[in-house]
């Protein structure tokens, strides 16, 4: 998956799908960040406090199979 950011700041992302929405999970349980090139999932834990900085118009590439990604 590849997306382009609209603004700069700490990049926080979450996954959505009809299946996840149907079971009633909250968005924050699906939240994740890219930390040192690895996907870190929040799950049922506290907020992820490590920073994942991104500039406006950065290209974010995520590989869920490899559980990794880049911010360029």
């Amino acid at each position: 998956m590849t997306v382009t950011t609209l603004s700069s700041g700490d990049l926080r992302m979450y996954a959505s799908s009809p299946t996840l929405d149907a079971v009633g999970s909250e968005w924050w349980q699906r939240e994740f960040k890219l930390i040192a090139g690895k996907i870190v999932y929040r799950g049922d834990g506290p907020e992820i406090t490590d920073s994942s900085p991104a500039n406006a118009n950065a290209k974010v590439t995520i590989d869920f199979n490899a559980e990794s990604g880049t911010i360029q």
Side-chain angles (χ1 to χ4, degrees):
M1 174 180 115
T2 302
V3 297
T4 302
T5 61
L6 299 176
S7 60
S8 61
D10 188 23
L11 184 62
R12 296 172 60 165
M13 300 167 275
Y14 73 96
S16 183
S17 76
T19 302
L20 291 172
D21 295 341
V23 297
S25 66
E26 299 291 333
W27 70 267
W28 57 267
Q29 293 172 310
R30 299 179 250 156
E31 183 180 28
F32 62 93
K33 285 186 171 187
L34 289 175
I35 308 294
K38 300 291 180 189
I39 297 174
V40 176
Y41 297 97
R42 179 174 179 179
D44 290 327
E47 274 194 51
I48 304 166
T49 57
D50 290 346
S51 183
S52 186
N55 293 320
N57 299 310
K59 180 180 173 184
V60 180
T61 303
I62 304 210
D63 182 341
F64 288 104
N65 292 320
E67 296 196 6
S68 64
T70 60
I71 302 170
Q72 300 176 327

